């Protein structure tokens, strides 16, 4: 496998592909290989229905991963996204219970996530606490608040409209079956997947076309140089953490909406999947490197692995082992590529 | 221009600057000034405090004591942006480049060119960079590579280009030619002459006595954080300066203008 990548790399170099593009291509190839393997292992895997399920499952990790990519490019880390997801989702549920209509309630949820991120940003930049410790603290606090607010019980009976975002589908086609029963011709594209696409496009635009995006890269690449060049380094970092929090909030609402209830225990360890997605996608924990396209592919690699292994009847313990292994291999390949 | 009249207002006037790091006194009660169209060479042994003094003027470091005036007005340089607003540009000894970004992104970092919609105008930044970089090094090709993959000299050229591209009035060059080859170094000397003729004031930190005597109007020598002497270049010989650098004092029996008498 490693040799295979080495060969590919040599070929890539002769075509004068950029490092980023090459990484993207090898990651897409990995996705294709996974799809082939899982399709052979279980025929149900390659059904349209299951493809849409994977899209749905990947949406949440994808959104968290995009937020983490921003933070990782600045040279930081955000361990709080799993807990912030739970807090934002439960606050949305509680606010709806209190009588607020669904849409404004969801905005409140995203705002709660953004607020958590803003606090992370302040603790990291103004109090000069390392990102690992700052966001570890937020991870515990956000989870604690979510559990305290709900008494650790799920917030249910939120009404049908609460579930539209997570369960609705675009272009769902239902035809008439053989016995006059409805049969699903095309299951439809899940709204969360469409939302993920919109989020990915806007954040990619921010990173590539806006000065703020350039400053995010510069800050992670060489913070002192960025500061000397007049980049407002603290402000740039605060923006990254706030966006990460807001996206965690959005992911929380999507997830709870899909479940139909707001659960304070959801999202435990999701931050690790999100970090893995970013890292598999080529983001460097040293800062300065990472793309949204890469992270999306990374999220799909994890989503497909989980789904395919489930379909093939592999236990969740073995799944952990495999995903852990994949993360290490992905980073190893990336390092070899950079050492060249 | 080499001997500015005493009553003109200096471009930069630094008075009684102090900087300590714990017990280390990096800059010890140093005063210095710079006039328009003048090049002041700053010399001293390693660790003498040259870079610290220059970083204080570029807003990258805050002094513990001292007053800085620009064009006769007292200024507070709290950040590099404050200095930049006054037309102070710096080529840092460390170059201060973001390794993962390419040359145009580094050149325009912090003051990117934008389209009317506020998007980054990468095309124009590339074009402008190409022009200013080619002027310093005609062989500069790989403009779109991350600067980490460039040679030390190419990186230095980017740092220089960044300082002169914008509207500079006061230029700080901290060992700008340390990584440059002979032809690039000659190009930088030419550049210094040109900027000087435009009325820009330049602080040139260097260890190269030859360059200093070629380019500077005055020399200032630092020794263990102190300013041990500022002299017009015609008043001193290389040996005098060397003595200032090493011992912190002029050779015994020195009088101004002795240079001509010896030769
Ligand atoms: N950020 C810092 N923290 C602590 N000490 C510092 C710092 N920057 C400089 N110093 C100390 O201040 C003193 C002066 O350093 P400076 O960099 O100004 O020397 P220099 O004259 O530029 O030397 P060189 O010729 O080697 O560049 C040194 O003793 C150095 O160790
Ligand atoms: Mg120095």
């Amino acid at each position: 496998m490693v040799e295979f990548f080495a060969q590919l790399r040599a070929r890539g170099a002769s075509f004068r592909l950029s490092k980023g593009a090459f990484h993207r291509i090898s990651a897409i190839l990995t996705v294709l290989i996974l799809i082939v393997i899982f399709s052979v292992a279980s025929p149900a895997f390659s059904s349209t229905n299951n493809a849409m399920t994977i899209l749905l499952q990947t949406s949440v990790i994808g959104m968290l991963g995009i937020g983490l990519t921003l933070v990782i490019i600045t040279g930081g880390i955000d361990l709080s996204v799993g807990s912030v997801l739970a807090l934002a989702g439960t606050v949305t549920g509680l606010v709806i219970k209190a009588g607020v209509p669904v849409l404004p309630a969801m905005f409140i949820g995203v705002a709660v996530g953004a607020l958590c991120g803003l606090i992370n940003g302040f603790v990291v930049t103004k109090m000069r606490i390392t990102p690992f410790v700052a966001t570890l603290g937020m991870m515990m606090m956000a989870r604690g608040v979510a559990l305290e607010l709900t008494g650790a019980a799920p917030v249910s009976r939120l009404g049908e409209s609460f579930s539209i975002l997570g369960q609705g589908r675009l272009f769902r086609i239902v035809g008439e079956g053989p016995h006059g029963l409805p049969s699903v011709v095309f299951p439809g594209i899940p709204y969360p997947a469409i939302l993920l696409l919109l989020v990915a496009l806007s954040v990619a635009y921010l990173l590539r076309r806006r000065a703020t995006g350039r400053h995010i890269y510069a800050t992670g690449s060489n913070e002192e140089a960025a500061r000397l060049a007049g980049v407002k380094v603290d402000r740039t970092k605060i923006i990254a953490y706030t966006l990460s929090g807001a996206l965690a909030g959005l992911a929380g609402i999507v997830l709870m909406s899909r479940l139909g209830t707001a659960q304070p225990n959801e999202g435990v360890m999701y931050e690790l999947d999100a970090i893995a997605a970013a890292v598999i996608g080529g983001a460097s924990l040293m800062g300065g490197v990472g793309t949204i396209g890469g992270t999306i592919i990374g999220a799909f690699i994890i989503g497909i692995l989980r789904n395919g292994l489930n379909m093939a009847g592999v236990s969740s313990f073995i799944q952990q082992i495999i995903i852990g292994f994949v993360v290490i291999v992905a980073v190893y390949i990336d390092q070899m590529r950079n050492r060249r | 221009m080499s001997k500015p009249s005493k009553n003109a207002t200096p471009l930069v006037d630094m008075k009684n600057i102090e900087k300590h790091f714990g017990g280390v006194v990096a800059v010890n009660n140093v005063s210095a000034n710079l006039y328009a169209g003048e090049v002041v060479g700053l010399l001293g042994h390693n660790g003498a405090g040259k870079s610290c003094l220059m970083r204080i003027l570029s807003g990258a470091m805050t002094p513990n004591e001292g007053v800085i005036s620009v064009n006769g007005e007292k200024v507070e340089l709290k950040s590099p942006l404050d200095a930049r607003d006054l037309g102070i540009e710096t080529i840092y000894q460390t170059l201060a480049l973001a390794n993962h970004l390419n040359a145009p992104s580094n050149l325009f970092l912090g003051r990117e060119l934008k389209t009317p919609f506020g998007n980054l105008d990468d095309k124009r930044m590339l074009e402008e960079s190409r022009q200013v970089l080619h002027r310093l090094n005609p062989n500069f090709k790989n403009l779109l590579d991350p600067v980490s993959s460039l040679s030390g000299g190419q990186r230095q050229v980017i740092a220089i280009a960044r300082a002169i591209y914008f509207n500079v009035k006061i230029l700080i060059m901290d060992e700008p030619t340390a990584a440059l080859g002979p032809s690039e170094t000659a190009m930088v000397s030419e550049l210094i002459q040109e900027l000087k003729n435009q009325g820009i004031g330049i602080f040139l930190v260097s260890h190269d006595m030859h360059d200093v005597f070629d380019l500077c109007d005055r020399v200032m020598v630092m020794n263990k954080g102190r300013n041990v002497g500022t002299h017009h270049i015609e008043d001193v010989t290389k040996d005098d300066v060397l003595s200032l650098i090493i011992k912190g004092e002029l050779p015994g029996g020195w009088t101004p203008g002795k240079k001509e008498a010896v030769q």
Side-chain angles (χ1 to χ4, degrees), chain A residues 204-265:
Chain A
Y205 165 75
L206 173 82
L207 278 178
R208 297 172 70 120
R209 308 288 310 136
R210 304 299 294 193
T212 304
R214 179 101 356 127
H215 295 171
I216 287 177
Y217 282 105
T219 300
S221 179
N222 185 344
E223 185 170 336
E224 174 70 359
R227 191 174 74 87
L228 294 177
V231 172
K232 291 183 176 115
V233 170
D234 283 358
R235 205 186 75 126
T236 304
K237 287 187 184 176
I238 290 173
I239 289 174
Y241 283 96
T242 306
L243 284 175
S244 176
L247 288 176
L250 185 63
I253 289 157
V254 167
L255 181 64
M256 307 303 179
S257 167
R258 194 174 97 207
L259 300 169
T261 59
Q263 308 203 5
N265 284 314

Side-chain angles (χ1 to χ4, degrees), chain B residues 21 24 26 44-53 61 93 175 207:
Chain B
F21 298 99
V24 181
H45 58 84
N46 291 127
K50 308 181 293 292
S51 293
C52 284
L53 185 68
M61 198 181 258
Q93 189 175 13
E175 306 195 22
H207 288 292

Side-chain angles (χ1 to χ4, degrees), chain A residues 16 205 207-211 214-215 217-218 220-222 224-232 286-289, chain B residues 55 59-60 80-81 84 92 96-101 105 109-110 112 114-115 117-120 122 125 145 162:
Chain A
R16 287 207 55 84
Y205 165 75
L207 278 178
R208 297 172 70 120
R209 308 288 310 136
R210 304 299 294 193
R214 179 101 356 127
H215 295 171
Y217 282 105
S221 179
N222 185 344
E224 174 70 359
R227 191 174 74 87
L228 294 177
V231 172
K232 291 183 176 115
M286 309 294 290
V289 185
Chain B
R55 287 169 70 88
L81 274 176
R84 177 182 284 179
Y92 293 97
L97 299 174
N99 271 332
H100 299 91
L101 302 185
S105 301
L109 187 59
E112 290 80 5
K114 291 175 192 162
T115 66
F117 298 110
N119 290 331
L120 293 172
D122 279 318
M125 287 194 266
D145 290 357
R162 169 164 69 182

Side-chain angles (χ1 to χ4, degrees), chain B residues 43-45 48 209 221-229 238-254:
Chain B
L43 291 95
H45 58 84
M209 199 73 81
V221 180
M222 285 183 77
N223 182 294
K224 296 181 190 144
R226 290 180 312 120
N227 177 0
V228 291
K238 289 182 183 169
D239 284 343
D240 297 338
V241 174
L242 217 54
S243 165
L244 277 171
I245 294 172
I246 298 165
K247 291 193 292 192
E249 55 187 37
L250 285 159
W254 178 86

